[in-house]
Amino acid sequence: MERGYHVAIVGATGAVGLELLSILEERKFPVVQLSLLASKRSAGRTLCIAGRELPVRELTEQAFEGMDFALFSVSSSISKTFGPIAARAGALVIDDSSAFRMDPDVPLVVTEVNPHALHHHRGIIAHPNCSTIPLVMVLKPLHLRARVQRVVVATYQSVSGAGARAVEELEQQTRALVAGEPPNVSVFPQQIAFNCLPHIDAFGELGYTGEEWKMVRETQKILEDDSIRMSITTVRVPVFRGHSEAVNIETERKVSAQEVRHLLSAAPGVAVIDEPEKSQYPMPITAAGRDEVFVGRIRDDPSHARAINLWLVSDNLRKGAALNMVQIMELLCAEHQR
Ligand SMILES: NC(=O)c1ccc[n+]([C@@H]2O[C@H](COP(=O)([O-])OP(=O)(O)OC[C@H]3O[C@@H](n4cnc5c(N)ncnc54)[C@H](OP(=O)(O)O)[C@@H]3O)[C@@H](O)[C@H]2O)c1
Protein backbone atom coordinates (compact mmCIF):
# COMPACT_ATOMS: atom_id res chain seq x y z
CA MET A 1 0.00 0.00 0.00
CA GLU A 2 1.27 3.48 -0.83
CA ARG A 3 2.39 5.53 2.16
CA GLY A 4 1.04 8.98 2.80
CA TYR A 5 3.20 11.90 3.87
CA HIS A 6 2.90 14.71 6.38
CA VAL A 7 3.66 17.92 4.48
CA ALA A 8 4.00 21.51 5.73
CA ILE A 9 3.84 24.43 3.28
CA VAL A 10 5.53 27.56 4.63
CA GLY A 11 4.21 30.56 2.70
CA ALA A 12 1.00 28.72 1.70
CA THR A 13 -0.86 31.99 0.98
CA GLY A 14 1.75 33.31 -1.48
CA ALA A 15 1.89 33.08 -5.28
CA VAL A 16 4.04 29.91 -5.15
CA GLY A 17 2.27 28.52 -2.05
CA LEU A 18 -1.12 28.54 -3.80
CA GLU A 19 0.41 26.88 -6.86
CA LEU A 20 1.90 24.19 -4.60
CA LEU A 21 -1.61 23.39 -3.36
CA SER A 22 -2.97 22.90 -6.87
CA ILE A 23 0.02 20.85 -8.02
CA LEU A 24 -0.15 18.51 -4.99
CA GLU A 25 -3.81 17.95 -5.81
CA GLU A 26 -3.29 17.60 -9.59
CA ARG A 27 -0.46 15.09 -9.28
CA LYS A 28 -2.22 13.23 -6.46
CA PHE A 29 0.83 13.41 -4.24
CA PRO A 30 -0.01 11.12 -1.30
CA VAL A 31 -0.54 13.55 1.58
CA VAL A 32 -2.08 12.35 4.85
CA GLN A 33 -1.62 15.64 6.66
CA LEU A 34 -1.17 19.08 5.15
CA SER A 35 -0.12 21.93 7.39
CA LEU A 36 -0.55 25.42 5.90
CA LEU A 37 1.74 28.05 7.43
CA ALA A 38 2.09 31.78 6.77
CA SER A 39 2.50 35.01 8.71
CA LYS A 40 0.40 36.07 11.67
CA ARG A 41 -1.64 38.20 9.21
CA SER A 42 -3.04 35.09 7.51
CA ALA A 43 -3.64 32.95 10.61
CA GLY A 44 -7.31 31.99 10.68
CA ARG A 45 -7.80 32.21 6.89
CA THR A 46 -8.72 28.99 5.10
CA LEU A 47 -7.47 27.64 1.75
CA CYS A 48 -9.18 25.04 -0.39
CA ILE A 49 -7.49 21.82 -1.50
CA ALA A 50 -9.31 18.83 -3.03
CA GLY A 51 -12.65 20.38 -2.07
CA ARG A 52 -11.66 20.73 1.60
CA GLU A 53 -11.12 24.00 3.48
CA LEU A 54 -7.91 23.88 5.54
CA PRO A 55 -6.93 26.50 8.12
CA VAL A 56 -3.78 28.60 7.75
CA ARG A 57 -1.66 28.74 10.92
CA GLU A 58 1.05 31.13 11.98
CA LEU A 59 4.59 29.87 11.35
CA THR A 60 6.20 28.96 14.70
CA GLU A 61 9.21 26.90 15.79
CA GLN A 62 6.88 24.08 16.88
CA ALA A 63 5.10 23.83 13.52
CA PHE A 64 7.28 21.03 12.12
CA GLU A 65 6.81 18.23 14.67
CA GLY A 66 5.83 15.01 12.87
CA MET A 67 6.30 16.47 9.36
CA ASP A 68 8.03 14.41 6.63
CA PHE A 69 8.47 17.37 4.27
CA ALA A 70 8.53 21.15 4.78
CA LEU A 71 8.15 23.10 1.53
CA PHE A 72 9.43 26.64 2.11
CA SER A 73 8.29 29.43 -0.18
CA VAL A 74 8.97 32.60 1.81
CA SER A 75 11.71 35.23 1.91
CA SER A 76 15.29 34.01 2.31
CA SER A 77 15.54 35.55 5.79
CA ILE A 78 12.55 33.51 7.03
CA SER A 79 13.97 30.38 5.36
CA LYS A 80 17.35 30.96 7.01
CA THR A 81 15.70 31.14 10.43
CA PHE A 82 13.10 28.40 10.14
CA GLY A 83 14.68 25.99 7.57
CA PRO A 84 17.24 24.57 10.03
CA ILE A 85 14.54 24.38 12.76
CA ALA A 86 12.33 22.30 10.45
CA ALA A 87 15.26 20.06 9.48
CA ARG A 88 16.18 19.50 13.16
CA ALA A 89 12.56 18.53 13.83
CA GLY A 90 13.01 15.74 11.24
CA ALA A 91 11.30 17.29 8.21
CA LEU A 92 13.09 17.23 4.87
CA VAL A 93 13.22 20.89 3.81
CA ILE A 94 12.79 21.93 0.17
CA ASP A 95 13.41 25.66 -0.03
CA ASP A 96 12.75 27.88 -3.05
CA SER A 97 14.33 31.08 -1.71
CA SER A 98 17.97 32.00 -2.29
CA ALA A 99 18.85 31.22 1.37
CA PHE A 100 20.76 27.96 0.84
CA ARG A 101 21.29 27.71 -2.93
CA MET A 102 25.02 28.39 -2.94
CA ASP A 103 25.77 26.48 0.29
CA PRO A 104 28.19 23.69 -0.78
CA ASP A 105 26.45 21.28 1.63
CA VAL A 106 23.03 21.90 0.07
CA PRO A 107 22.07 20.29 -3.25
CA LEU A 108 20.53 22.68 -5.79
CA VAL A 109 18.27 20.52 -7.91
CA VAL A 110 16.32 20.59 -11.15
CA THR A 111 14.78 17.12 -11.38
CA GLU A 112 15.44 16.63 -15.13
CA VAL A 113 19.00 17.98 -14.94
CA ASN A 114 20.85 16.85 -11.80
CA PRO A 115 18.65 14.44 -9.80
CA HIS A 116 21.83 12.65 -8.62
CA ALA A 117 22.62 15.68 -6.42
CA LEU A 118 19.67 14.72 -4.19
CA HIS A 119 21.68 11.81 -2.76
CA HIS A 120 23.97 14.15 -0.85
CA HIS A 121 21.41 16.17 1.09
CA ARG A 122 21.71 16.80 4.82
CA GLY A 123 18.09 17.68 5.49
CA ILE A 124 17.83 20.75 3.24
CA ILE A 125 17.45 20.82 -0.55
CA ALA A 126 17.46 24.11 -2.46
CA HIS A 127 15.39 24.93 -5.50
CA PRO A 128 16.91 27.32 -8.10
CA ASN A 129 15.75 30.71 -9.31
CA CYS A 130 12.77 30.63 -11.70
CA SER A 131 14.89 31.89 -14.63
CA THR A 132 17.78 29.49 -13.95
CA ILE A 133 15.56 26.39 -14.13
CA PRO A 134 14.41 26.63 -17.78
CA LEU A 135 17.87 27.80 -18.84
CA VAL A 136 19.68 24.75 -17.40
CA MET A 137 17.03 22.41 -18.82
CA VAL A 138 17.97 23.70 -22.27
CA LEU A 139 21.73 23.97 -21.67
CA LYS A 140 22.19 20.46 -20.22
CA PRO A 141 21.69 18.45 -23.47
CA LEU A 142 23.87 20.93 -25.38
CA HIS A 143 26.55 20.76 -22.71
CA LEU A 144 26.61 16.97 -22.90
CA ARG A 145 26.82 17.01 -26.71
CA ALA A 146 29.14 19.92 -27.43
CA ARG A 147 30.29 21.52 -24.12
CA VAL A 148 28.80 24.94 -23.51
CA GLN A 149 31.53 27.57 -23.16
CA ARG A 150 29.65 30.86 -22.98
CA VAL A 151 26.02 31.93 -22.57
CA VAL A 152 24.50 35.40 -23.06
CA VAL A 153 20.92 35.84 -21.86
CA ALA A 154 18.32 38.61 -21.73
CA THR A 155 15.25 37.68 -19.65
CA TYR A 156 11.67 38.96 -19.94
CA GLN A 157 10.28 38.07 -16.51
CA SER A 158 6.63 38.22 -15.52
CA VAL A 159 5.36 40.06 -12.46
CA SER A 160 4.20 36.89 -10.67
CA GLY A 161 7.90 36.13 -10.22
CA ALA A 162 7.87 38.92 -7.64
CA GLY A 163 4.92 37.51 -5.67
CA ALA A 164 1.21 38.03 -5.16
CA ARG A 165 1.44 41.78 -4.38
CA ALA A 166 3.32 42.39 -7.64
CA VAL A 167 0.50 40.76 -9.60
CA GLU A 168 -1.98 43.12 -7.90
CA GLU A 169 0.26 46.10 -8.70
CA LEU A 170 0.28 45.36 -12.45
CA GLU A 171 -3.51 44.92 -12.38
CA GLN A 172 -4.08 48.17 -10.49
CA GLN A 173 -1.63 50.22 -12.54
CA THR A 174 -3.14 48.94 -15.81
CA ARG A 175 -6.68 49.85 -14.67
CA ALA A 176 -5.52 53.28 -13.43
CA LEU A 177 -3.63 54.17 -16.62
CA VAL A 178 -6.46 53.03 -18.90
CA ALA A 179 -8.79 55.23 -16.83
CA GLY A 180 -6.40 58.16 -17.25
CA GLU A 181 -5.38 58.16 -13.57
CA PRO A 182 -1.83 58.20 -12.14
CA PRO A 183 -0.52 54.71 -11.23
CA ASN A 184 0.42 53.83 -7.66
CA VAL A 185 4.03 52.52 -7.55
CA SER A 186 4.94 50.49 -4.46
CA VAL A 187 6.20 46.92 -5.14
CA PHE A 188 8.40 47.69 -8.16
CA PRO A 189 10.92 50.57 -8.21
CA GLN A 190 9.18 52.14 -11.25
CA GLN A 191 5.83 51.87 -13.05
CA ILE A 192 5.54 48.33 -14.50
CA ALA A 193 2.30 48.66 -16.52
CA PHE A 194 3.04 49.47 -20.21
CA ASN A 195 6.75 49.49 -19.34
CA CYS A 196 9.88 47.27 -18.94
CA LEU A 197 12.30 47.50 -16.02
CA PRO A 198 15.93 46.40 -16.51
CA HIS A 199 16.11 45.97 -12.76
CA ILE A 200 15.36 42.77 -10.80
CA ASP A 201 16.89 42.56 -7.31
CA ALA A 202 19.56 44.94 -5.99
CA PHE A 203 22.42 46.27 -8.14
CA GLY A 204 25.81 44.86 -7.12
CA GLU A 205 29.19 43.71 -8.43
CA LEU A 206 30.15 45.26 -11.82
CA GLY A 207 26.70 46.87 -12.10
CA TYR A 208 24.88 43.53 -12.43
CA THR A 209 21.87 42.74 -10.23
CA GLY A 210 21.55 39.99 -7.64
CA GLU A 211 19.14 38.16 -9.97
CA GLU A 212 21.75 38.25 -12.77
CA TRP A 213 24.51 36.85 -10.54
CA LYS A 214 22.13 34.19 -9.19
CA MET A 215 21.58 32.90 -12.73
CA VAL A 216 25.35 32.70 -13.34
CA ARG A 217 26.29 30.97 -10.09
CA GLU A 218 23.32 28.64 -9.95
CA THR A 219 23.83 27.49 -13.56
CA GLN A 220 27.49 26.71 -12.87
CA LYS A 221 26.57 24.78 -9.70
CA ILE A 222 23.77 22.75 -11.31
CA LEU A 223 25.80 21.89 -14.43
CA GLU A 224 28.85 21.26 -12.20
CA ASP A 225 31.05 23.40 -14.42
CA ASP A 226 32.47 26.71 -13.20
CA SER A 227 34.21 27.27 -16.54
CA ILE A 228 30.94 28.24 -18.30
CA ARG A 229 31.13 32.01 -18.87
CA MET A 230 27.87 33.91 -18.63
CA SER A 231 26.55 37.40 -19.16
CA ILE A 232 22.96 38.11 -18.10
CA THR A 233 20.51 41.02 -18.29
CA THR A 234 17.29 40.47 -16.33
CA VAL A 235 14.23 42.52 -17.25
CA ARG A 236 10.75 42.71 -15.66
CA VAL A 237 7.96 42.97 -18.23
CA PRO A 238 4.22 43.65 -17.82
CA VAL A 239 3.20 39.99 -18.26
CA PHE A 240 1.30 38.21 -15.47
CA ARG A 241 2.71 34.74 -15.83
CA GLY A 242 5.60 33.09 -17.72
CA HIS A 243 9.26 34.05 -17.95
CA SER A 244 10.89 34.32 -21.41
CA GLU A 245 14.60 34.36 -22.23
CA ALA A 246 16.55 35.24 -25.40
CA VAL A 247 19.64 33.02 -25.21
CA ASN A 248 22.91 32.94 -27.18
CA ILE A 249 24.94 29.76 -26.59
CA GLU A 250 28.55 29.26 -27.68
CA THR A 251 29.83 25.68 -27.65
CA GLU A 252 33.29 24.10 -27.92
CA ARG A 253 32.21 21.89 -30.84
CA LYS A 254 29.84 23.14 -33.53
CA VAL A 255 26.18 22.13 -33.26
CA SER A 256 23.81 23.27 -35.97
CA ALA A 257 20.39 24.76 -35.30
CA GLN A 258 18.88 21.57 -36.75
CA GLU A 259 20.84 19.37 -34.31
CA VAL A 260 19.81 21.62 -31.42
CA ARG A 261 16.17 21.24 -32.47
CA HIS A 262 16.57 17.41 -32.37
CA LEU A 263 18.44 17.42 -29.07
CA LEU A 264 15.90 19.66 -27.36
CA SER A 265 12.91 17.75 -28.79
CA ALA A 266 14.25 14.69 -26.94
CA ALA A 267 15.13 16.53 -23.71
CA PRO A 268 12.92 15.68 -20.72
CA GLY A 269 10.49 18.45 -19.79
CA VAL A 270 11.31 20.49 -22.92
CA ALA A 271 8.95 21.07 -25.88
CA VAL A 272 10.04 22.64 -29.17
CA ILE A 273 7.64 24.96 -31.03
CA ASP A 274 9.64 26.29 -33.94
CA GLU A 275 7.70 27.12 -37.08
CA PRO A 276 8.21 30.88 -37.25
CA GLU A 277 6.95 31.06 -40.85
CA LYS A 278 3.53 29.97 -39.47
CA SER A 279 3.91 32.38 -36.51
CA GLN A 280 4.43 29.36 -34.27
CA TYR A 281 6.87 30.10 -31.42
CA PRO A 282 6.58 29.96 -27.63
CA MET A 283 5.02 32.90 -25.78
CA PRO A 284 4.13 33.47 -22.12
CA ILE A 285 0.50 32.64 -22.95
CA THR A 286 1.74 29.32 -24.40
CA ALA A 287 3.52 28.40 -21.18
CA ALA A 288 1.06 29.72 -18.56
CA GLY A 289 -0.41 26.78 -16.65
CA ARG A 290 1.83 24.27 -18.45
CA ASP A 291 4.65 22.11 -17.11
CA GLU A 292 7.04 22.15 -20.08
CA VAL A 293 9.83 24.58 -20.93
CA PHE A 294 9.00 25.73 -24.47
CA VAL A 295 11.77 26.55 -26.96
CA GLY A 296 11.65 28.13 -30.41
CA ARG A 297 13.38 30.58 -32.77
CA ILE A 298 16.38 28.19 -32.85
CA ARG A 299 18.89 29.74 -35.25
CA ASP A 300 22.57 29.51 -36.16
CA ASP A 301 24.35 32.67 -35.04
CA PRO A 302 25.61 34.42 -38.22
CA SER A 303 28.23 36.27 -36.15
CA HIS A 304 29.87 33.16 -34.66
CA ALA A 305 30.68 29.73 -36.16
CA ARG A 306 30.00 27.82 -32.93
CA ALA A 307 27.03 29.67 -31.49
CA ILE A 308 23.26 29.44 -31.74
CA ASN A 309 20.38 31.66 -30.67
CA LEU A 310 17.11 30.50 -29.18
CA TRP A 311 14.06 31.76 -27.31
CA LEU A 312 12.59 29.92 -24.31
CA VAL A 313 9.51 30.39 -22.16
CA SER A 314 8.32 28.63 -19.01
CA ASP A 315 5.70 29.12 -16.31
CA ASN A 316 7.67 30.61 -13.42
CA LEU A 317 5.11 29.46 -10.84
CA ARG A 318 5.10 25.85 -12.10
CA LYS A 319 8.46 24.50 -13.40
CA GLY A 320 10.11 27.67 -12.09
CA ALA A 321 8.81 26.99 -8.58
CA ALA A 322 6.04 24.72 -7.27
CA LEU A 323 6.27 21.91 -9.86
CA ASN A 324 10.01 21.39 -9.43
CA MET A 325 9.54 21.31 -5.62
CA VAL A 326 6.85 18.63 -5.88
CA GLN A 327 8.93 16.67 -8.42
CA ILE A 328 11.84 16.69 -5.93
CA MET A 329 9.50 15.19 -3.31
CA GLU A 330 8.24 12.60 -5.81
CA LEU A 331 11.80 11.52 -6.67
CA LEU A 332 12.77 11.21 -3.01
CA CYS A 333 9.63 9.18 -2.22
CA ALA A 334 10.22 6.87 -5.20
CA GLU A 335 13.82 6.24 -4.09
CA HIS A 336 12.68 5.66 -0.50
CA GLN A 337 10.19 3.02 -1.65
CA ARG A 338 12.77 1.18 -3.78
N1 LIG B 1 7.07 33.72 -7.63
C1 LIG B 1 7.90 32.96 -8.31
O1 LIG B 1 7.77 32.77 -9.54
C2 LIG B 1 9.04 32.27 -7.59
C3 LIG B 1 9.79 31.31 -8.28
C4 LIG B 1 10.85 30.68 -7.62
C5 LIG B 1 11.14 31.03 -6.32
N2 LIG B 1 10.39 31.98 -5.67
C6 LIG B 1 10.70 32.30 -4.27
O2 LIG B 1 9.61 31.88 -3.47
C7 LIG B 1 9.50 32.69 -2.30
C8 LIG B 1 8.07 33.18 -2.18
O3 LIG B 1 7.71 33.85 -3.36
P1 LIG B 1 6.22 34.22 -3.73
O4 LIG B 1 6.33 34.76 -5.11
O5 LIG B 1 5.28 33.10 -3.45
O6 LIG B 1 5.95 35.47 -2.72
P2 LIG B 1 4.57 36.03 -2.12
O7 LIG B 1 3.44 35.83 -3.08
O8 LIG B 1 4.89 37.41 -1.68
O9 LIG B 1 4.32 35.11 -0.83
C9 LIG B 1 5.09 35.21 0.33
C10 LIG B 1 4.61 34.22 1.37
O10 LIG B 1 5.44 34.40 2.53
C11 LIG B 1 4.59 34.50 3.66
N3 LIG B 1 5.21 35.30 4.72
C12 LIG B 1 5.56 36.60 4.69
N4 LIG B 1 6.06 36.98 5.90
C13 LIG B 1 6.00 35.89 6.70
C14 LIG B 1 6.35 35.61 8.05
N5 LIG B 1 6.86 36.56 8.84
N6 LIG B 1 6.15 34.35 8.54
C15 LIG B 1 5.62 33.38 7.75
N7 LIG B 1 5.27 33.57 6.46
C16 LIG B 1 5.46 34.79 5.94
C17 LIG B 1 3.35 35.21 3.14
O11 LIG B 1 2.31 35.03 4.07
P3 LIG B 1 1.16 36.18 4.28
O12 LIG B 1 0.18 35.95 3.15
O13 LIG B 1 0.61 35.83 5.61
O14 LIG B 1 1.85 37.49 4.22
C18 LIG B 1 3.16 34.45 1.82
O15 LIG B 1 2.54 33.22 2.06
C19 LIG B 1 10.55 33.80 -2.49
O16 LIG B 1 11.72 33.46 -1.77
C20 LIG B 1 10.82 33.79 -3.98
O17 LIG B 1 12.11 34.25 -4.31
C21 LIG B 1 9.33 32.61 -6.27
Side-chain angles (χ1 to χ4, degrees):
M1 203 174 70
E2 198 176 41
R3 226 197 108 182
Y5 297 90
H6 298 250
V7 178
I9 301 182
V10 185
T13 51
V16 175
L18 294 174
E19 198 66 27
L20 274 168
L21 290 180
S22 16
I23 291 182
L24 287 174
E25 185 179 343
E26 247 172 59
R27 296 175 74 91
K28 302 193 178 356
F29 184 84
V31 179
V32 287
Q33 186 198 348
L34 191 58
S35 176
L36 305 181
L37 304 166
S39 77
K40 203 174 180 168
R41 294 178 292 276
S42 300
R45 262 184 74 182
T46 58
L47 296 175
C48 185
I49 176 163
R52 283 175 57 211
E53 291 290 331
L54 290 182
V56 178
R57 292 184 299 127
E58 183 184 352
L59 171 63
T60 62
E61 294 193 5
Q62 292 70 42
F64 302 100
E65 293 306 323
M67 290 295 144
D68 298 305
F69 290 102
L71 305 180
F72 274 71
S73 187
V74 282
S75 66
S76 57
S77 62
I78 299 175
S79 289
K80 274 186 191 148
T81 307
F82 285 91
I85 292 172
R88 277 197 297 276
L92 181 45
V93 172
I94 302 172
D95 180 63
D96 80 348
S97 77
S98 57
F100 308 107
R101 289 179 190 155
M102 295 317 296
D103 182 331
D105 289 333
V106 174
L108 180 63
V109 176
V110 179
T111 51
E112 293 84 350
V113 178
N114 62 337
H116 56 274
L118 285 175
H119 299 142
H120 309 295
H121 78 78
R122 298 183 185 179
I124 299 182
I125 293 162
H127 163 101
N129 180 281
C130 42
S131 294
T132 306
I133 291 178
L135 180 65
V136 293
M137 285 175 68
V138 163
L139 291 181
K140 174 74 186 279
L142 303 185
H143 198 44
L144 286 178
R145 172 63 65 93
R147 213 174 85 73
V148 171
Q149 289 184 318
R150 179 166 182 264
V151 186
V152 181
V153 184
T155 70
Y156 303 67
Q157 297 180 221
S158 71
V159 294
S160 57
R165 284 184 55 235
V167 172
E168 282 167 26
E169 181 148 306
L170 174 58
E171 256 170 39
Q172 284 166 1
Q173 288 185 359
T174 307
R175 281 185 216 288
L177 288 159
V178 169
E181 292 158 11
N184 181 28
V185 176
S186 88
V187 176
F188 293 109
Q190 298 281 354
Q191 174 190 317
I192 183 64
F194 307 104
N195 202 9
C196 295
L197 313 182
H199 179 183
I200 303 182
D201 207 343
F203 287 99
E205 211 184 320
L206 296 174
Y208 289 82
T209 65
E211 185 87 347
E212 289 160 353
W213 284 117
K214 278 179 211 163
M215 286 183 69
V216 174
R217 293 179 180 131
E218 293 175 19
T219 299
Q220 292 173 340
K221 178 169 175 176
I222 295 164
L223 296 180
E224 296 164 359
D225 190 343
D226 287 350
S227 73
I228 300 174
R229 287 166 292 139
M230 299 182 70
S231 186
I232 316 275
T233 305
T234 54
V235 181
R236 188 74 68 191
V237 296
V239 163
F240 282 107
R241 195 164 169 147
H243 288 1
S244 309
E245 302 179 25
V247 188
N248 180 269
I249 306 166
E250 194 179 316
T251 49
E252 187 177 82
R253 295 178 289 283
K254 162 128 187 100
V255 266
S256 68
Q258 193 52 27
E259 265 179 283
V260 170
R261 228 169 262 123
H262 284 304
L263 279 173
L264 293 180
S265 300
V270 177
V272 173
I273 303 179
D274 200 11
E275 294 182 284
E277 64 290 349
K278 296 184 188 159
S279 304
Q280 294 303 306
Y281 32 71
M283 299 170 286
I285 56 170
T286 318
R290 296 284 298 266
D291 290 349
E292 306 93 320
V293 171
F294 294 91
V295 186
R297 301 288 324 275
I298 302 169
R299 292 151 287 155
D300 292 311
D301 179 346
S303 73
H304 194 294
R306 288 174 288 98
I308 55 118
N309 282 302
L310 56 82
W311 170 256
L312 67 82
V313 189
S314 89
D315 184 329
N316 51 293
L317 294 176
R318 288 182 75 89
K319 189 59 200 176
L323 175 64
N324 193 57
M325 295 172 87
V326 173
Q327 286 172 316
I328 289 174
M329 281 204 300
E330 288 172 344
L331 271 184
L332 290 165
C333 295
E335 293 203 352
H336 187 66
Q337 280 166 10
R338 242 180 247 148

